[in-house]
Amino acid sequence: PASAVTAALSCRRYVAGGECKSPARLEGKVAIVTGANTGIGKETARDLARRGKVIVACRDIAKAEAAASEIRADTGNQQVIVKKLDLADTKSIREFAEKFLAEEKELHILINNAGVMLCPYSKTADGFEMHLGVNHLGHFLLTFLLLERLKQSAPARIVNVSSLAHHGGQIRFHDLHGEKSYNPGLAYCHSKLANVLFTRELARRLQGKCQRRAITANALHPGSVRSELVRHSFVMSWLWKIFSFFLKTPWEGAQTSVYCAVAEELDSVTGQYFSDCQPAYVSPRGRDDETAKKLWRVSCELLSIQWD
């Protein structure tokens, strides 16, 4: 019946959520997207490649090269460059940053998109619990290493892909690496809360510098997206297939990342959290400035860096 079709289409439009309408061009500008070989990262890189130069930063070089080749063919932009980055290894992060800084004189957009979800208990090369290590500490270190180049290129933007799951997270300073108790779902939530708190504290510190040209930092929830992120969970993979109609496509999931990266109206907006291309509610734990400051200090200690 026509009414059923109309209802289904209305439901699908609701699921799709917001769309980035900005026509902003990025000629002469450089963007980095981590984890851009699949899912929303790939679609984010594809959109930005229609606007300017994109660095595809990924652990799996073969998949990254295949994605970059597809994006080049689709957009006609040959300035889609693959670079090796394993966020589960601080040595790889430092090597990526060193090579990038040697080869690129400017950086205008850093999209910290890569992530892991529902991993069985495991640790990174540096002994960090995998969710915390990849989703938070890896991007924390990467941002630290690239910040001076962002400052030199300002105005610039840092975009951290978090999740609605941050509402279920807490920063368990007494057991950050899940050695006393571990639940893969909660570990993911904790890491996504860390993304929100990192964004909040980073924005506060950047604003405190009274810069003439701003560097903004914002976080976002991409929505529930049909992607490979749930590959570690058979149950979630099964549910994702059954309810795929009610999930965003990777293109739909990338819209808020693109919006935070290019929308003109966000030129001076910082420290905010977005969903469906509009401001969204942050959990009370995600607004706790004392926890954000402590997480910053602890993160610096774990990574053996000084970031004042």
Side-chain angles (χ1 to χ4, degrees):
S3 58
V5 173
T6 301
L9 290 174
S10 296
C11 177
R12 192 66 198 77
R13 281 194 294 271
Y14 175 79
V15 168
E19 181 179 339
C20 178
K21 304 286 189 180
S22 172
R25 303 294 303 167
L26 300 175
E27 281 94 352
K29 296 190 176 183
V30 180
I32 292 175
V33 184
T34 68
N37 63 337
T38 187
I40 66 172
K42 180 179 175 181
E43 293 307 318
T44 301
R46 191 194 308 272
D47 184 288
L48 296 182
R50 295 192 174 98
R51 306 169 189 262
K53 183 174 182 176
V54 181
I55 307 297
V56 173
C58 302
R59 177 178 57 85
D60 189 323
I61 291 296
K63 283 187 176 180
E65 289 289 2
S69 179
E70 178 187 319
I71 292 170
R72 290 186 204 110
D74 186 30
T75 63
N77 182 4
Q78 297 307 303
Q79 292 293 291
V80 181
I81 300 168
V82 173
K83 291 188 183 294
K84 170 83 171 180
L85 172 65
D86 184 353
L87 288 160
D89 186 345
T90 58
K91 181 181 178 183
S92 173
I93 299 168
R94 291 182 179 279
E95 288 175 350
F96 168 87
E98 184 179 346
K99 290 177 181 177
F100 175 85
L101 294 172
E103 296 169 7
E104 302 289 343
K105 299 309 175 190
E106 293 190 302
L107 176 60
H108 303 89
I109 298 169
L110 172 60
I111 301 185
N112 291 319
N113 163 83
V116 294
M117 180 180 181
L118 302 175
C119 298
Y121 188 76
S122 57
K123 289 187 174 181
T124 69
D126 301 273
F128 309 139
E129 187 278 316
M130 190 62 68
H131 293 89
L132 182 79
V134 171
N135 298 353
H136 169 60
L137 291 171
H139 283 129
F140 187 96
L141 178 60
L142 179 65
T143 305
F144 167 74
L145 294 171
L146 298 178
L147 189 61
E148 284 305 313
R149 188 55 42 91
L150 285 159
K151 288 180 179 178
Q152 294 163 10
S153 309
R157 300 187 188 191
I158 299 166
V159 179
N160 295 324
V161 179
S162 181
S163 170
L164 183 68
H166 85 271
H167 286 270
Q170 58 180 320
I171 306 302
R172 303 170 70 247
F173 289 108
H174 67 286
D175 189 24
L176 274 179
H177 303 295
E179 294 168 329
K180 296 177 181 177
S181 65
Y182 180 76
N183 176 286
L186 288 177
Y188 176 72
C189 294
H190 302 336
S191 71
K192 294 291 102 177
L193 174 60
N195 293 155
V196 172
L197 291 169
F198 168 46
T199 304
R200 187 177 183 88
E201 180 64 8
L202 177 60
R204 186 188 70 80
R205 287 168 175 258
L206 290 172
Q207 279 187 309
K209 300 297 182 182
C210 298
Q211 296 164 321
R212 182 171 59 86
R213 296 184 297 172
I215 301 178
T216 62
N218 291 298
L220 66 100
H221 168 54
S224 298
V225 182
R226 297 198 297 269
S227 73
E228 297 179 9
L229 195 59
V230 296
R231 63 186 177 277
H232 292 293
S233 170
F234 172 78
V235 173
M236 288 294 286
S237 298
W238 181 69
L239 289 172
W240 248 230
K241 289 179 181 178
I242 291 177
F243 296 104
S244 62
F245 181 81
F246 300 101
L247 299 173
K248 290 185 177 185
T249 65
W251 182 87
E252 292 163 350
Q255 293 305 297
T256 306
S257 294
V258 175
Y259 175 75
C260 289
V262 306
E264 299 89 336
E265 61 267 31
L266 299 187
D267 280 346
S268 59
V269 174
T270 191
Q272 301 301 305
Y273 173 76
F274 293 85
S275 179
D276 286 328
C277 300
Q278 59 187 1
Y281 179 74
V282 178
S283 74
R285 284 175 176 154
R287 288 179 269 123
D288 188 328
D289 289 332
E290 291 308 309
T291 300
K293 292 172 185 175
K294 183 175 180 180
L295 178 63
W296 186 283
R297 292 195 303 272
V298 171
S299 298
C300 287
E301 290 169 6
L302 288 170
L303 293 164
S304 300
I305 60 175
Q306 287 188 316
W307 190 355
D308 298 322

